[in-house]
């Protein structure tokens, strides 16, 4: 079973995403355990302060190393972790490839920053992998961590009921997914492509492959040049 420990100042932000749909099912069926740790609980300050002014001056506050290190040390004394991830806009861009790799791990820590981020010494001495969900700045790492956890947990074998369903998603084979249709076959005069109603599986598979290539060439040609 995979175990994910999330270190955050705002554990309640995960209540929505983790208590619905696929992640909830994955937790309920024992495919993943997710533990939320409030970094503030590890502050030794009498007011439970966890941030301070940046050395050298400048705007914003910085998360202090003490509480994060105390929490990391406690967890790392209890078990070995495959990766200790820091969510940060200057990290490597999250991708389906990274989600696949992370889905094979057993124990992960994910650290969520806030304010101007965490003291660099935590990054230097604890973090093994820094991940960004895109070139924009969020208020904190919680939403980004929820995105990463969702993308990883749905890839754990047995989590999605039809296991081939994750395999046919966009990016999984380097292509965008083909379009999908459901009943009714005629909606407001808008017809489903004939081939999908033909019952001829080989033709349907070929059509889907052609559409995947067509859409990728049109919408994301960069995916094809990355491959070559
Ligand atoms: N000062 C930081 C910088 O310019 O790189 C940004 C700090 S941001 C306001 C606070 C926290 O949100 C970060 O420490 C990080 O944990 C999280 N965060 C913000 N944008 C993110 C992104 N695109 N991907 C992952 N985490 C992000």
């Amino acid at each position: 079973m995979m175990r994910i420990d999330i270190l955050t100042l705002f554990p309640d932000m995960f209540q929505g995403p983790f208590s619905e749909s696929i992640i909830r099912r994955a937790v309920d069926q024992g495919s993943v355990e997710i533990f939320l740790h409030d970094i503030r609980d590890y502050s030794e300050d009498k007011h439970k302060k966890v941030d301070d002014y940046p050395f050298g001056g400048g705007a914003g506050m910085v998360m202090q190393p003490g509480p994060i290190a105390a929490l990391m040390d406690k967890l790392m004394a209890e078990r070995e972790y495959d990766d200790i991830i820091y969510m940060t806009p200057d990290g490597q861009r999250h991708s389906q490839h990274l989600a696949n790799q992370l889905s094979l791990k057993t124990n992960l820590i994910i650290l969520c920053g806030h304010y101007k981020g965490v003291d660099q010494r935590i990054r230097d001495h604890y973090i093994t992998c820094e991940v960004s969900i895109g070139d924009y700045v969020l208020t904190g790492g919680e939403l980004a961590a929820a995105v990463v956890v969702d993308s990883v947990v749905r890839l754990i074998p047995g989590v999605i009921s039809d296991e081939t369903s994750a395999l046919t998603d966009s990016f999984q084979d380097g292509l965008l997914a083909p379009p999908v249709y459901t009943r009714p076959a005629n909606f407001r005069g808008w017809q489903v492509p004939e081939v999908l109603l033909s019952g001829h599986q080989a033709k349907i598979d070929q059509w889907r492959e052609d559409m995947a290539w067509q859409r990728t060439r049109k919408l994301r040609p960069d995916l094809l040049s990355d491959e070559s």
Side-chain angles (χ1 to χ4, degrees):
M1 182 198 302
M2 178 184 271
R3 174 185 171 116
I4 304 176
D5 290 275
I6 298 180
L7 283 50
T8 170
L9 290 175
F10 298 94
D12 288 349
M13 283 187 72
F14 294 93
Q15 291 310 333
F18 288 179
S19 58
E20 304 282 346
S21 187
I22 301 279
I23 299 194
R24 170 154 187 194
R25 194 203 305 159
V27 171
D28 287 350
Q29 76 188 28
S31 299
V32 64
E33 282 182 300
I34 303 176
F35 295 91
L36 298 168
H37 305 273
D38 190 339
I39 296 169
R40 207 172 289 282
D41 292 343
Y42 293 80
S43 168
E44 291 191 341
D45 179 80
K46 65 175 185 257
H47 301 297
K48 293 285 170 203
K49 200 162 85 83
V50 288
D51 58 323
D52 213 327
Y53 294 97
F55 280 126
M61 302 295 274
V62 177
M63 286 173 71
Q64 293 176 289
I68 299 171
L71 175 47
M72 293 267 195
D73 289 347
K74 174 180 173 292
L75 292 171
M76 290 165 74
E78 289 166 355
R79 70 195 59 76
E80 277 198 17
Y81 285 90
D82 300 293
D83 262 314
I84 302 182
I85 300 168
Y86 176 47
M87 302 310 307
T88 177
D90 56 6
Q92 77 174 96
R93 185 79 65 83
H94 190 45
S95 63
Q96 193 65 20
H97 178 67
L98 182 57
N100 278 317
Q101 287 182 333
L102 293 176
S103 74
L104 303 174
K105 310 282 184 179
T106 309
N107 296 320
L108 294 174
I109 286 178
I110 303 182
L111 171 63
C112 304
H114 229 84
Y115 316 119
K116 293 302 274 183
V118 304
D119 186 291
Q120 181 62 37
R121 290 165 290 185
I122 290 293
R123 298 172 70 166
D124 292 343
H125 295 283
Y126 285 93
I127 301 300
T128 62
C129 174
E130 299 194 326
V131 181
S132 162
I133 63 161
D135 287 348
Y136 41 81
V137 175
L138 301 164
T139 307
E142 288 73 16
L143 295 174
V147 166
V148 169
V149 169
D150 185 299
S151 67
V152 169
V153 166
R154 65 195 300 283
L155 294 172
I156 300 172
V159 167
I160 295 186
S161 37
D162 174 2
E163 277 196 41
T164 58
S165 149
L167 297 177
T168 57
D169 282 333
S170 290
F171 310 112
Q172 202 62 35
D173 57 0
L175 298 175
L176 299 183
V180 290
Y181 299 87
T182 187
R183 274 182 282 272
N186 178 351
F187 177 66
R188 298 183 177 174
W190 304 330
Q191 301 283 352
V192 167
E194 261 320 303
V195 62
L196 296 179
L197 309 174
S198 68
H200 194 304
Q201 199 54 50
K203 279 191 183 159
I204 293 171
D205 291 346
Q206 187 59 54
W207 180 86
R208 286 187 171 143
E209 195 181 329
D210 293 347
M211 292 306 287
W213 278 95
Q214 219 179 86
R215 297 188 80 204
T216 309
R217 257 185 240 112
K218 184 167 173 224
L219 302 172
R220 291 293 305 275
D222 56 302
L223 292 177
L224 301 175
S225 54
D226 277 350
E227 268 189 355
S228 58

